[in-house]
Amino acid sequence: MDFNDSPAEAAFRAEARAWLAAHAPAHVLTPGEKMPDTEEADRGRAWMRALYAGGWSGLTFPKALGGRGLSGPEAVIFAEEEGKYQLPKGPFTSIGTGMALPVIAKHGSDEQKARFIEATLKGDTTWCQLFSEPAAGSDLAALRTKAVRADDGSGDWIVNGQKVWSSWAHLTDWGILVVRTDPTLPKHKGLTFFVVDMKTPGIETRPIRQISGASEFNETFLTDVRIPDANRLGAEGEGWACCMTVLMGERLGSGAHRSGVEPLIDYAAATPDGHGGTMLDDRAIRQQLAEALAEEQGERFFQARLRTMVSKGENPGALAGMVKLAYAGRYQKTNGLALELRGLAGIAPEAGDTATGDVQYDYIYSTVMRIAGGADEVLRNQIAERVLGMPGEVRMDKNVPFETLKG
Amino acid sequence: MNFDLSDEQKMLGEQARVLLSDLSPFDRLRSLIDSGAEWDEPLWRALAEMGFLGAAIPEDHGGLGLGALDLGVIMEALGGANAAVPFMSSIILGAEAIRLAGSDAQKAAWLPKLASGEAVATFAYAEGPGPVFASGATLEGGKLNGNKSPVADAGIADIAVVLVAGGTFALVELNQPGVTRTRLDSFDQLRPHYRLDFADAVAEALPGAGKLDQLIDQAAVQAAFEASGAAEACLTMARDYAMERQMFGRPLAGYQAIKHKLADVAVATELARSNAYYGGWAAESSPDDLPAAAAAARLSGIKCLEIAARENLQVHGGIGYTFEANCHFYYRRERMLAVHLGNRGFWADRLLNAQPGSQGKAA
Ligand SMILES: Cc1cc2nc3c(=O)[nH]c(=O)nc-3n(C[C@H](O)[C@H](O)[C@H](O)COP(=O)(O)OP(=O)(O)OC[C@H]3O[C@@H](n4cnc5c(N)ncnc54)[C@H](O)[C@@H]3O)c2cc1C
């Protein structure tokens, strides 16, 4: 066992660090800064372009497709180093690199790969994920948006239905879309996967106002949207397999982060307790901080074990969900504690106190971590079933033609 | 980075597990309790024969000279079996205190005997209610005075390393007129504890000073291995029972209330195990990182075993409350492990104090 980088890893890290030191600062976001989402998107694209120009985009994609053709731990190392800067990385860019590209690389035709991979790595093509629907969230395969072949013999598909919670759908160029093409089959079988140009007539996105104050996700209505068959990914009826590829990418991408606890300790140490000491002298606070720190470290080292598995060619499967489950809950607790430590000023900070503003935002945002990319309860089911081998959920809808299901 | 045990380490753990499942099944634990036994002596001999006792003792003192991670996989197996042996007392604490702080003569006299199992040591640190690491006992002019209580495994130990005034260690042979051993009513029936009274007992100082922190940091890492092994055993036991037990027409294991409980235990156990790995690596390869690593491992070890032991009994329902079911072994041991070597408040302080810049230090 060695927790440190091997010599080759250390050299790669040093190279990454030097490049980032030279290029990242120009793209760093100011803490607490609010900007219109169009500007956030522009900044995201600009960072993608800089990465591509420097040869740091798509580290694991083949060289022929615009990547760097690496297969080891380099992508992880680069992500760790990149994570030290607050860059415009958010979902706006990661849906493309973390979710759309893996599914195109795995299930796409050569033509699709050539068309989308390099353009995405460059920041020229951005993506949204059109999966969730009002009645299909955790139970994604319950989706009702349907596609039928056009009756003009073109082979094109005509799509009708509604998606929801589609992050960045109003600003992105393309979407990954899963729809029902055969309602006579059981629900997982009649699905087909497409990539869709978001400028196609019939697509309408309506921003949804979120509790954070932002409107990054949308309701997306699809009315007689025509998609050429060349934009189908994988075979007709094989959409579920594509979804699984996307969700695995999403799961792995939403693992542990180092966040929150160390700054919180500093904050407690710098805040007077009114009795001549600091907040950090309070036993109850010390206990909570230490527990959170121990959990955060456990998440990080568990993640390191999973990375070792991946580097040996093993698939962590549902173990990846364990990190996300631990992290999401702990992140919410940490930010809740951060607000509490600020006392009343935590709920109503003075003008200019951007740090508290950030904590407030993070506390609100932490709810997302526990829902999106597999909600806590769904992850617990998967861990119980796939790691512990316990029985699956009772399924009323198994092997039943989708069209006969109620709802 | 290669953050995994080696194949040899995995094999060592497997050997320990096999030996323990042969020699220390739950019925054996029940009969030890019924007979009021001090320990499982045949098991101790078998562990000695396999070389486990000397795993981390240097080769020139009769051991195998392996490292913290090797010791860790053995501790994990011992925790899983809830074995009635003084491994923590004699090997992790006693022998290691002598290795860290002893003179050459003391090492030569005791380490080979501890490695072979011929002698048993314990580490005496508490002095009743109050701080866990107390140093009211005194060593002056070769005479040890004061008391230590409770002390694990002191009924069978030949020697004790005693924490004395000034934070240094005294080495005392327990079979002498100046030492009185009084057996206490131990909550963990498989780990007897004693009160030791010293009245001008003949003792000598271990010359190495300032070794307490390193000793207990290393032991904390091993305790985290022990806890994650025990938690894993609870988890497996609860899962297996829930798969078998039918309620309302289907296995208990099919209900989310049960699945979710056990998923949470599994996550807590993996986090503790990951922290223990890091602690073991730090103990071997990165001593500067050991204090923080040890404290984090200790805290998450306490946490995972607490929920694992409680939920295991809960999943079993009424049968879990019987002596015939096996849940109670872990349920009792968990409380013992939660306080030995210092409870979570103690380790929370140490974790914060070990943070960079030490802003974490309490006033
Ligand atoms: C900020 C944000 C961004 C998102 N972006 C996208 C996006 O870009 N594209 C996209 O397609 N989707 C997106 N989503 C949707 C996200 O994937 C879903 O919200 C998620 O899958 C949960 O579905 P739901 O909201 O319908 O909740 P539901 O599935 O209705 O769940 C409600 C509650 O029920 C619980 N639950 C569900 N099933 C079970 C079960 N079997 N047993 C026990 N409990 C259960 C859940 O855990 C949850 O607590 C986003 C969501 C958020 C919050």
Side-chain angles (χ1 to χ4, degrees):
Chain A
M1 177 175 315
D2 194 352
F3 190 72
N4 288 332
D5 288 339
S6 69
E9 289 163 358
F12 183 84
R13 191 183 294 278
E15 190 197 335
R17 218 175 254 172
W19 185 83
L20 284 163
H23 297 87
H27 296 267
V28 162
L29 304 168
T30 321
E33 183 183 359
K34 304 258 182 302
M35 66 183 102
D37 50 11
T38 45
E39 189 188 332
E40 203 173 335
D42 287 344
R43 293 208 199 181
R45 272 185 212 267
W47 178 238
M48 291 289 288
R49 294 206 168 99
L51 284 174
Y52 183 81
W56 297 98
S57 203
L59 293 175
T60 57
F61 285 92
K63 281 192 176 146
L65 297 173
R68 199 149 143 184
L70 301 171
S71 60
E74 293 90 351
V76 170
I77 292 175
F78 187 74
E80 283 173 3
E81 293 301 322
E82 191 187 15
K84 292 177 182 166
Y85 298 86
Q86 203 187 340
L87 292 161
K89 278 292 289 185
F92 177 75
T93 51
S94 63
I95 293 176
T97 50
M99 290 150 74
L101 291 196
V103 73
I104 292 169
K106 183 159 175 194
H107 304 272
S109 64
D110 287 345
E111 194 222 320
Q112 288 166 338
K113 290 182 200 170
R115 182 167 172 202
F116 294 112
I117 292 180
E118 185 157 17
T120 303
L121 295 178
K122 265 186 183 155
D124 287 349
T125 302
T126 55
W127 294 83
C128 63
Q129 176 199 22
L130 302 167
F131 279 23
S132 302
E133 296 184 10
S138 303
D139 185 9
L140 173 59
L143 61 92
R144 298 184 167 270
T145 296
K146 66 171 193 229
V148 293
R149 295 272 187 183
D151 51 17
D152 57 9
S154 62
D156 291 355
W157 296 84
I158 306 297
V159 182
N160 279 285
Q162 184 199 343
K163 296 288 175 177
V164 75
W165 322 133
S166 331
S167 297
W168 299 96
H170 59 306
L171 291 173
T172 42
D173 307 306
W174 282 75
I176 44 177
L177 171 72
V178 56
V179 296
R180 186 165 306 280
T181 46
D182 189 348
T184 67
L185 296 174
K187 66 179 191 176
H188 291 91
K189 297 243 162 82
L191 305 176
T192 303
F193 202 98
F194 294 95
V195 291
V196 57
D197 184 340
M198 292 302 285
K199 287 183 287 298
T200 315
I203 299 183
E204 185 202 347
T205 57
R206 291 187 202 154
I208 299 172
R209 184 173 171 193
Q210 299 168 198
I211 62 171
S212 60
S215 298
E216 80 200 24
F217 61 38
N218 298 261
E219 288 181 295
T220 305
F221 296 88
L222 301 114
T223 311
D224 293 332
V225 174
R226 184 177 278 262
I227 302 181
D229 193 50
N231 290 356
R232 176 168 45 78
L233 224 60
E236 187 176 337
E238 298 293 321
W240 189 246
C242 295
C243 290
M244 288 296 99
T245 304
V246 173
L247 296 181
M248 190 61 189
E250 185 170 9
R251 197 67 40 82
L252 285 173
S254 56
H257 309 265
R258 277 188 101 163
S259 59
V261 187
E262 277 177 29
L264 200 50
I265 295 171
D266 292 342
Y267 181 84
T271 309
D273 65 357
H275 307 289
T278 74
M279 301 282 258
L280 198 55
D281 300 327
D282 183 296
R283 308 279 328 155
I285 290 172
R286 291 179 74 72
Q287 187 87 36
Q288 289 181 71
L289 288 171
E291 297 271 347
L293 197 57
E295 282 176 41
E296 184 191 67
Q297 291 182 11
E299 291 153 19
R300 191 155 62 95
F301 301 137
F302 187 39
Q303 183 100 317
R305 288 170 57 200
L306 299 183
R307 283 179 191 151
T308 298
M309 283 177 75
V310 171
S311 74
K312 290 178 180 171
E314 296 164 36
N315 179 359
L319 291 175
M322 293 173 96
V323 186
K324 197 237 169 196
L325 178 62
Y327 168 73
R330 204 262 311 149
Y331 183 64
Q332 190 171 49
K333 261 196 300 183
T334 301
N335 285 300
L337 177 60
L339 278 184
E340 203 178 312
L341 280 182
R342 287 166 156 82
L344 269 181
I347 55 162
E350 302 274 328
D353 178 359
T354 56
T356 299
D358 280 355
V359 172
Q360 290 184 342
Y361 182 84
D362 286 347
Y363 181 63
I364 290 181
Y365 190 72
S366 63
T367 55
V368 174
M369 300 277 172
R370 295 185 53 202
I371 298 171
D376 280 9
E377 291 73 16
V378 172
L379 293 178
R380 286 195 180 95
N381 281 347
Q382 288 178 2
I383 292 162
E385 290 164 25
R386 298 191 205 148
V387 180
L388 301 177
M390 296 169 83
E393 292 299 285
V394 175
R395 292 199 191 281
M396 311 301 195
D397 52 6
K398 209 174 166 186
N399 301 327
V400 181
F402 183 78
E403 61 193 2
T404 66
L405 293 172
K406 281 215 257 339
Chain B
M1 172 190 293
N2 173 17
F3 200 56
D4 192 12
L5 298 170
S6 69
D7 289 344
E8 291 75 21
Q9 283 159 345
K10 288 178 187 165
M11 229 157 63
L12 185 66
E14 190 50 32
Q15 278 174 349
R17 268 189 296 279
V18 169
L19 179 91
L20 287 160
S21 72
D22 285 352
L23 298 186
S24 185
F26 291 120
D27 280 342
R28 170 80 183 151
L29 301 184
R30 257 181 290 278
S31 73
L32 289 167
I33 292 174
D34 284 340
S35 66
E38 293 283 343
W39 61 326
D40 191 340
E41 193 172 356
L43 176 61
W44 190 248
R45 301 287 157 235
L47 292 169
E49 239 162 71
M50 295 291 286
F52 293 149
L53 303 187
I57 291 175
E59 281 171 290
D60 49 1
H61 290 302
L64 301 175
L66 303 174
L69 290 162
D70 304 281
L71 215 46
V73 299
I74 298 172
M75 282 301 283
E76 208 173 351
L78 289 167
N82 210 65
V85 288
F87 202 89
M88 174 58 85
S89 297
S90 190
I91 306 301
I92 311 284
L93 290 164
E96 189 59 17
I98 294 171
R99 191 187 73 78
L100 287 175
S103 66
D104 289 345
Q106 288 162 339
K107 289 184 206 171
W110 291 106
L111 292 183
K113 285 186 191 166
L114 296 176
S116 70
E118 185 190 335
V120 170
T122 188
F123 178 59
Y125 50 99
E127 297 178 2
V132 210
F133 292 93
S135 34
T138 58
L139 176 68
E140 278 159 23
K143 302 287 186 207
L144 179 62
N145 281 288
N147 68 75
K148 288 281 164 183
S149 178
V151 183
D153 307 304
I156 50 162
D158 302 282
I159 53 170
V161 174
V162 181
L163 183 61
V164 292
T168 55
F169 302 141
L171 179 62
V172 59
E173 291 194 45
L174 296 178
N175 250 331
Q176 58 163 305
V179 178
T180 311
R181 320 185 202 201
T182 313
R183 184 163 170 164
L184 305 173
D185 191 8
S186 182
F187 183 68
D188 180 347
Q189 300 155 302
L190 291 162
R191 187 61 61 82
H193 282 70
Y194 279 74
R195 174 187 168 99
L196 293 178
D197 284 283
F198 306 107
D200 284 340
V202 179
E204 53 187 46
L206 297 185
K211 297 293 183 186
L212 179 65
D213 283 328
Q214 189 185 347
L215 180 71
I216 64 179
D217 280 346
Q218 291 176 178
V221 172
Q222 297 303 328
F225 274 107
E226 183 175 14
S228 59
E232 172 94 44
C234 291
L235 180 59
T236 307
M237 197 191 289
R239 195 268 319 264
D240 291 352
Y241 182 77
M243 299 286 277
E244 224 169 77
R245 176 79 170 158
Q246 301 279 321
M247 271 298 136
F248 304 102
R250 56 190 176 111
L252 213 50
Y255 293 98
Q256 277 195 347
I258 304 294
K259 288 165 72 173
H260 288 194
K261 222 190 246 311
L262 297 189
D264 286 342
V265 173
V267 170
T269 304
E270 288 305 341
L271 296 189
R273 181 174 286 151
S274 306
N275 277 335
Y277 279 15
Y278 184 72
W281 172 78
E284 287 179 6
S285 313
S286 189
D288 288 350
D289 294 316
L290 178 61
R298 176 84 182 110
L299 284 175
S300 49
I302 291 174
K303 181 170 178 178
C304 80
L305 185 51
E306 181 174 270
I307 65 167
R310 289 179 188 174
E311 299 308 342
N312 181 31
L313 203 150
Q314 180 69 16
V315 167
H316 278 74
I319 203 166
Y321 197 65
T322 67
F323 189 63
E324 281 319 301
N326 303 316
C327 312
H328 62 104
F329 298 123
Y330 297 99
Y331 189 69
R332 288 177 180 274
R333 177 142 304 177
E334 183 276 319
R335 280 296 89 181
M336 197 273 290
L337 293 180
V339 294
H340 89 136
L341 286 174
N343 64 14
R344 63 185 111 197
F346 176 86
W347 287 98
D349 276 342
R350 284 174 82 87
L351 180 55
L352 294 182
N353 293 346
Q355 287 314 293
S358 263
Q359 328 86 318
K361 222 154 238 144

